[in-house]
Amino acid sequence: MNLQTSLKLFFTGLFLLFVLQLVSYLNWLLIDQGMMDGVLDKYLLLKTPLIIIPLLFFIPILLKILNYYFPNDN
């Protein structure tokens, strides 16, 4: 996997985090205005296992950074 692919995955993960935060905020806003019933929490979706999916997209760039600073000299 090259650096370009790692960067694409990183920005995809950032976009997924943004979408998750946006949906969580919209859920809070609808509940706060009384349009739906539910738990009044701005960060509800960020506290669920859904957060694992965007975080998986950050692994390749972290591996590239570690490989750059700590090369494997075999």
Side-chain angles (χ1 to χ4, degrees):
M1 181 179 304
N2 57 11
L3 183 63
Q4 184 178 7
T5 306
S6 297
L7 285 173
K8 286 180 184 178
L9 288 173
F10 175 74
F11 287 114
T12 302
L14 282 179
F15 177 74
L16 289 174
L17 273 176
F18 172 75
V19 168
L20 191 60
Q21 176 64 30
L22 180 68
V23 170
S24 185
Y25 179 75
L26 288 175
N27 182 34
W28 173 81
L29 190 62
L30 290 174
I31 292 171
D32 189 46
Q33 292 180 351
M35 297 186 76
M36 21 185 288
D37 294 330
V39 179
L40 193 60
D41 187 5
K42 280 187 182 178
Y43 307 107
L44 180 67
L45 291 177
L46 294 177
K47 297 176 185 175
T48 64
L50 284 175
I51 194 69
I52 294 171
I53 296 169
L55 294 180
L56 288 175
F57 283 86
F58 297 144
I59 293 173
I61 195 73
L62 292 175
L63 291 176
K64 281 290 182 187
I65 291 170
L66 287 175
N67 194 18
Y68 179 76
Y69 285 111
F70 305 107
N72 191 2
D73 297 330
N74 284 333

